[in-house]
Amino acid sequence: MSDALTLLKSRRSVKPIDLVGPGPTPAELDTLLTIASRVPDHGKLMPWRFIVFEDDARLQAGDAIAAAFVADHPEAAADQIAFERQRLARAPLVVAVVSRAAPHVKIPEWEQVLSAGAAAMNLVLAAHALGFAANWITEWYAYDRRVCDALGLAPHEKIAGFVHIGHVLHPPEDRPRPALADIVTRYGT
Ligand SMILES: Cc1cc2nc3c(=O)[nH]c(=O)nc-3n(C[C@H](O)[C@H](O)[C@H](O)COP(=O)(O)O)c2cc1C
């Protein structure tokens, strides 16, 4: 089997808390983002963009997440608030994939959203190919307008995912995968 097929057949997500440093070097990050942006894109609209969270910026973003959390849970305990503040600081690197899908005269918005999903998946796969593990997650704050504003999203932009990237010390067990018989039909038979 080719290296590429081995990679594709073995990829699995690793919890953010299990992703440790070192994170990607600047050159590796360039490679990751270059591959993430090499996706099918009907109309060449680039209906996505990336926000990189590294070092202290992860906690700066965490301040915005914690602030939204406290506003909704004024009774929250200090450890809960600290947990929320750490959300983007669990892995050494987090990349937010932002969908910029918007109404267009020719290209359906749905296709633009799918392209953002492809970008996130390419990022995950590129991370694996470089020897990292990754996890594509959203969690509540991806859908929180206050957090999105603080992260600099325009009103029409959406978080497609926060892709967490790092090294894994103990690869997890795989999970059951779909049986092809359950998801594949042959048209006309
Ligand atoms: C758009 C999107 C958002 C996701 N958000 C979360 C999330 O918030 N929390 C979570 O535990 N998994 C989330 N997942 C699922 C994980 O990325 C991952 O697929 C899951 O942990 C199963 O692992 P696997 O990739 O090895 O199959 C999300 C997946 C997608 C496609």
Side-chain angles (χ1 to χ4, degrees):
M1 205 176 347
S2 75
D3 288 349
L5 285 179
T6 303
L7 175 90
L8 290 168
K9 291 187 83 169
S10 60
R11 180 211 65 81
R12 80 139 311 174
S13 298
V14 173
K15 288 183 194 158
I17 200 71
D18 293 330
L19 295 172
V20 298
T25 63
E28 287 173 327
L29 181 55
D30 269 11
T31 299
L32 292 173
L33 296 173
T34 301
I35 292 171
S37 58
R38 193 183 180 89
V39 288
D41 169 11
H42 194 178
K44 304 180 186 66
L45 300 177
M46 291 179 290
W48 24 255
R49 64 184 182 93
F50 307 102
I51 307 173
V52 174
F53 300 91
E54 293 175 291
D55 305 322
D56 289 347
R58 298 171 304 159
L59 284 177
Q60 203 181 315
D63 285 338
I65 295 172
F69 180 77
V70 170
D72 290 347
H73 304 90
E75 75 299 345
D79 60 337
Q80 287 176 298
I81 299 168
F83 177 81
E84 296 299 335
R85 185 167 183 260
Q86 286 286 333
R87 287 279 197 174
L88 296 185
R90 293 172 287 182
L93 174 77
V94 176
V95 178
V97 179
V98 177
S99 164
R100 305 165 68 199
H104 185 275
V105 65
K106 269 180 63 183
I107 312 299
E109 214 168 319
W110 164 238
E111 297 187 7
Q112 300 174 45
V113 173
L114 291 173
S115 185
M121 194 64 223
N122 257 22
L123 179 57
V124 166
L125 289 172
H128 281 269
L130 271 180
F132 294 95
N135 199 340
W136 171 0
I137 57 178
T138 42
E139 303 189 313
W140 68 267
Y141 39 91
Y143 299 98
D144 188 282
R145 193 63 251 169
R146 297 159 296 186
V147 173
C148 290
D149 287 346
L151 300 186
L153 269 68
H156 73 284
E157 293 183 323
K158 291 191 173 69
I159 299 283
F162 292 103
V163 178
H164 293 58
I165 297 170
H167 286 286
V168 60
L169 295 178
H170 307 291
E173 291 287 304
D174 201 3
R175 68 177 176 88
R177 299 291 165 175
L180 292 186
D182 293 336
I183 53 170
V184 180
T185 53
R186 281 184 169 68
Y187 182 74
T189 58

